[in-house]
Amino acid sequence: MRLIVIIPTLGRNEQVARLLSYLSGQTRLPDEVVLSAPDATHVELPESCPFPVSLVFGPKGLAAQRNTALVPALGRSDIITFFDDDFVPSAEYLEQIEKAFAENDGWAVVMGMVVRDGATNAGLTWEAAEAALREAEGKKHEGPLVVDHVGAYGCNMSLRSSLVGDLRFDERLVLYGWQEDIDFTSQMRSKGRVVCVTSISGVHLGIKTGRVSGERFGYSQVANAIYLVRKGSVPASFALPLMFRNIAANLARSLRPEPYVDRRGRLKGNMLAILHVAMGRIEPEYILKI
C-alpha cells in the first residue's frame, strides 16, 4: 500500500525539520511526505531524508492547508496520514497503520492513541515525548484494542484514500479550524468505521506558537460547534457537551487563569459567539474580523 504523510504547518520551521528527521526512524518509511504551508518561509527541510518530501503552498488556515495537500495526494496514495507538526509518533506508527488498513477492509479512518497531550497543559518537550513513548511501550494497555469514535483527533489520523471521494475539509472553519477534524472524519463514517487502535501510539506536544488569539479561539469554541450541528455533520450529543465544557472551564478558570491559556480572552469570545447565535448569526469565519 502506498502511504503519504501530510503535515500542515505554520510558523514552526525548526519543529517541522525535527519531525522529518524523526520520521526517518520509522520502521515503515512513508512513501512521501507533503508539507502544506502558506509559503516557503514556514518550512525548513533537513539536509537529507530517506523519503521524498514535497511542498505545497496555498491559503492559510488548517482546513485550507489540509485540502491543498489532500487533493493531489488522493490520486497517488492508498493511505493518507495527517500529522500535526507537533505530533511525535512511535517508531512503529506507520507500519501499524498500514497493517490496520490492510487487515480491515471496513475501516475508513484510523487514529492512534495519544499517550500524552500537551494541548491540555503548558506543552511538552521532545525529550518528554520520547520518555512518554518509552513508558507506553513497557505498559500493557487496559481496555479494548479498537474503539469506535464519532470522529478522529486531527493531530494523528489516517484515511483510506479510495473512500474520500469529493469530501473536503470545511474551509468556513478558518484559521485554527476548531473541530474541522471531527467534521471531516464524522462524515467518513458513512463509508466505514472510524476507530482508534490503542496499540498505535504517539505524543502531541501541544506547542503554543502559531495558535490564534484567545478571543478568536473562544468564539470558535461556540460558533463552530453550533455550525456543525446545524450542518448535520457532527451529532449534537458530541458537539454541545464539548462546547458547554469549554465555556464552563473558561468561566471557572478566568479568575486565576493558567499562564499559558488566555482564559479571559476565550470567555470573551464565548460570550460574543453566544450573542451572535442568539441573534441567528452562525458564522465561523467571523473570527477573521476579531
Side-chain angles (χ1 to χ4, degrees):
M1 302 180 82
R2 181 169 171 79
L3 190 155
I4 293 179
V5 171
I6 294 176
I7 304 172
T9 188
L10 178 74
R12 296 179 180 172
N13 308 58
E14 293 181 7
Q15 178 65 27
V16 170
R18 186 161 188 176
L19 178 55
L20 288 174
S21 297
Y22 198 82
L23 290 178
S24 300
Q26 286 285 301
T27 56
R28 191 274 192 223
L29 293 175
D31 294 292
E32 181 184 353
V33 172
V34 181
L35 303 179
S36 182
D39 56 62
T41 64
H42 295 270
V43 179
E44 182 176 320
L45 301 179
E47 292 184 4
S48 63
C49 281
F51 44 78
V53 179
S54 58
L55 309 177
V56 294
F57 303 128
K60 182 171 71 172
L62 188 51
Q65 288 176 231
R66 290 196 194 278
N67 285 335
T68 298
L70 173 67
V71 173
L74 284 173
R76 59 177 192 266
S77 65
D78 299 296
I79 301 167
I80 292 176
T81 295
F82 282 99
F83 285 147
D84 277 5
D85 56 14
D86 59 349
F87 182 79
V88 185
S90 64
E92 301 83 17
Y93 187 102
L94 295 180
E95 179 183 353
Q96 291 176 293
I97 284 290
E98 181 178 41
K99 182 180 179 182
F101 279 109
E103 295 180 352
N104 299 276
D105 291 339
W107 290 5
V109 181
V110 178
M111 63 177 170
M113 183 175 182
V114 179
V115 295
R116 285 195 67 187
D117 192 353
T120 64
N121 52 45
L124 302 171
T125 64
W126 272 86
E127 292 71 27
E130 290 168 352
L133 288 173
R134 287 193 298 269
E135 183 181 351
E137 288 175 5
K139 283 185 178 180
K140 183 178 180 181
H141 177 72
E142 297 181 1
L145 178 62
V146 177
V147 182
D148 286 274
H149 281 256
V150 168
Y153 188 8
C155 69
N156 82 113
M157 60 183 182
S158 298
L159 319 173
R160 192 183 296 276
S161 300
S162 62
L163 298 181
V164 173
D166 295 330
L167 183 61
R168 299 293 182 264
F169 291 90
D170 191 337
E171 296 187 23
R172 288 194 66 188
L173 307 177
V174 295
L175 300 181
Y176 187 59
W178 178 245
Q179 298 299 301
E180 101 296 336
D181 46 2
I182 300 296
D183 170 52
F184 183 97
T185 54
S186 180
Q187 294 177 78
M188 288 285 286
R189 284 189 296 129
S190 66
K191 305 175 183 183
R193 291 173 68 185
V194 175
V195 301
C196 174
V197 179
T198 57
S199 61
I200 304 174
S201 61
V203 173
H204 186 211
L205 300 181
I207 295 174
K208 301 301 186 274
T209 61
R211 305 267 175 157
V212 300
S213 73
E215 187 175 351
R216 283 177 163 179
F217 188 65
Y219 190 94
S220 295
Q221 286 178 321
V222 174
N224 289 15
I226 300 299
Y227 169 73
L228 295 176
V229 171
R230 287 278 299 271
K231 178 180 173 181
S233 60
V234 177
S237 58
F238 174 88
L240 297 185
L242 175 64
M243 181 187 76
F244 288 125
R245 285 196 302 271
N246 286 326
I247 295 171
N250 294 334
L251 182 61
R253 297 174 186 172
S254 61
L255 296 177
R256 298 183 63 183
E258 308 94 322
Y260 51 85
V261 178
D262 180 12
R263 290 291 179 186
R264 292 168 186 168
R266 289 186 183 186
L267 184 60
K268 183 178 179 182
N270 291 162
M271 296 302 105
L272 179 59
I274 290 171
L275 175 63
H276 283 185
V277 170
M279 295 167 59
R281 182 177 185 177
I282 302 172
E283 186 182 349
E285 55 269 61
Y286 181 81
I287 63 172
L288 296 174
K289 301 176 184 178
I290 296 177

